[in-house]
């Protein structure tokens, strides 16, 4: 190969690499990435890579964007910029609570989301204990998520805590999917859920609070004010403020009966 030819090949390779980089950044700038940029992601989760956090280095921005791109309606289909931002604030509010390393009552309580990738004591339904941003728990959830994603999560549940893209995908899958008599979190935050007569009788009303009920109502709902609800709401409000979204109504589930009752 001549020097001129070699130089041409090198330039062509550099140009191809540059185009790939532009394409990747362009993909991030579309959809969810147009709201949750790398800078915003870092500001929302400033301590996710803190040395005190067991999940440090795991929850990357690129993994989030890759997972979000597998769910085209997630964070893009609210019909208005306000609702799109509110959905993303709600998603990160709930998942930040699930993975929090914050100390309740501290000045930086709501800056410690995504500190954990696994349930601390691994005691709930082992080996299907909580993993990932939504803390996916229980064999039935691993089965359903795996079926939807084309993965054997029952046979290999550790994928949710070792592959960051899979981890985010399970959280977004849960967010987007109605199960049993529970609506999807996605439909609730976008105002697309109409409570049934049974929901109304149980005090379940549209708003962020019923998303808490969907996720962990058996423990946190219908028991009056509690620290877990306060933490979820605190994270949500912080992210709404950061993204320029209103909170909406009915943020807690203090007086809601859970969906299993």
């Amino acid at each position: 190969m001549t020097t001129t030819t070699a130089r041409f090949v090198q330039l062509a390779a550099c140009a191809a690499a540059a185009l790939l980089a532009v394409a990747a950044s362009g993909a991030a700038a579309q959809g969810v990435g147009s709201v949750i940029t790398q800078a915003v992601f870092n500001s929302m989760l400033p301590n996710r890579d803190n040395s005190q956090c067991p999940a440090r280095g795991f929850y990357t921005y690129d993994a989030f964007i890759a997972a979000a791109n597998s769910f085209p309606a997630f964070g893009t289909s609210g019909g208005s910029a306000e609702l799109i931002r509110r959905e993303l604030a709600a998603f990160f509010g709930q998942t930040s609570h699930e993975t929090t390393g914050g100390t309740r009552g501290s000045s930086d309580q709501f800056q410690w989301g995504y500190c954990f990738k696994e349930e601390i004591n691994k005691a709930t339904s082992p080996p299907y204990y909580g993993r990932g941003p939504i803390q996916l728990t229980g064999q039935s959830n691993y089965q359903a998520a795996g079926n939807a994603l084309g993965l054997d999560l029952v046979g290999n549940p550790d994928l949710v805590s070792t592959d960051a893209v899979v981890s985010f995908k399970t959280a977004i899958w849960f967010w987007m999917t109605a199960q049993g008599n529970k609506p999807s979190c996605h439909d609730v935050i976008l105002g697309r859920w109409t409570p049934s007569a049974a929901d109304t009788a149980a005090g379940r009303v549209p708003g962020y609070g019923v998303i808490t009920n969907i996720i962990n109502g058996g423990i946190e709902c219908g028991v009056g004010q509690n620290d877990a609800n306060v933490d979820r709401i605190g994270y949500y409000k912080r992210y709404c403020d950061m993204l320029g979204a209103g909170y909406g109504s009915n943020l807690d589930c203090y007086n809601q009966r859970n969906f299993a009752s």
Side-chain angles (χ1 to χ4, degrees), residues 174-189 192-195 199 204-206 210-211 213-215 259:
F174 186 94
W175 186 264
M176 300 296 292
T177 306
Q179 298 189 61
N181 66 333
K182 297 179 179 180
S184 71
C185 305
H186 173 74
D187 281 346
V188 169
I189 203 63
R192 296 173 179 170
W193 171 61
T194 300
D199 291 317
R204 296 190 290 265
V205 291
V210 88
I211 296 176
N213 202 332
I214 291 167
I215 295 171
F259 281 93

Side-chain angles (χ1 to χ4, degrees), residues 120-155:
I120 295 173
N121 57 21
K122 302 181 180 180
T124 309
S125 303
Y128 306 108
Y129 51 78
R131 293 179 177 87
I134 202 70
Q135 289 293 282
L136 191 73
T137 304
Q139 183 173 346
S140 63
N141 275 321
Y142 278 79
Q143 180 75 62
N147 290 346
L149 301 175
L151 299 168
D152 180 14
L153 297 184
V154 170

Side-chain angles (χ1 to χ4, degrees), residues 150-250:
L151 299 168
D152 180 14
L153 297 184
V154 170
N156 189 7
D158 283 334
L159 270 177
V160 184
S161 56
T162 57
D163 185 317
V165 175
V166 171
S167 197
F168 273 114
K169 280 184 177 180
T170 61
I172 299 173
W173 165 81
F174 186 94
W175 186 264
M176 300 296 292
T177 306
Q179 298 189 61
N181 66 333
K182 297 179 179 180
S184 71
C185 305
H186 173 74
D187 281 346
V188 169
I189 203 63
L190 296 184
R192 296 173 179 170
W193 171 61
T194 300
S196 67
D199 291 317
T200 301
R204 296 190 290 265
V205 291
Y208 184 75
V210 88
I211 296 176
T212 298
N213 202 332
I214 291 167
I215 295 171
N216 203 29
I219 295 175
E220 297 178 32
C221 298
V223 293
Q225 183 169 339
N226 57 85
D227 288 343
N229 258 243
V230 170
D231 196 62
R232 292 180 193 273
I233 294 166
Y235 271 114
Y236 173 60
K237 285 184 171 181
R238 177 171 179 263
Y239 298 146
C240 280
D241 292 345
M242 292 180 70
L243 298 179
Y247 307 147
S249 305
N250 306 314

Side-chain angles (χ1 to χ4, degrees), residues 57-140:
F58 182 67
Y59 294 117
T60 66
Y61 177 71
D62 288 345
F64 168 66
I65 292 297
N69 285 342
S70 296
F71 298 85
F74 171 69
T76 65
S77 59
S80 71
E82 167 84 6
L83 285 177
I84 286 171
R85 292 188 176 96
R86 184 180 294 170
E87 175 173 22
L88 292 168
F91 174 81
F92 278 101
Q94 292 287 351
T95 53
S96 289
H97 167 76
E98 292 292 332
T99 57
T100 189
T103 301
R104 285 175 183 155
S106 67
S107 60
D108 64 350
Q109 176 177 346
F110 308 121
Q111 297 180 25
W112 285 86
Y114 286 68
C115 189
F116 290 89
K117 61 178 181 175
E118 296 178 313
E119 183 180 333
I120 295 173
N121 57 21
K122 302 181 180 180
T124 309
S125 303
Y128 306 108
Y129 51 78
R131 293 179 177 87
I134 202 70
Q135 289 293 282
L136 191 73
T137 304
Q139 183 173 346
S140 63

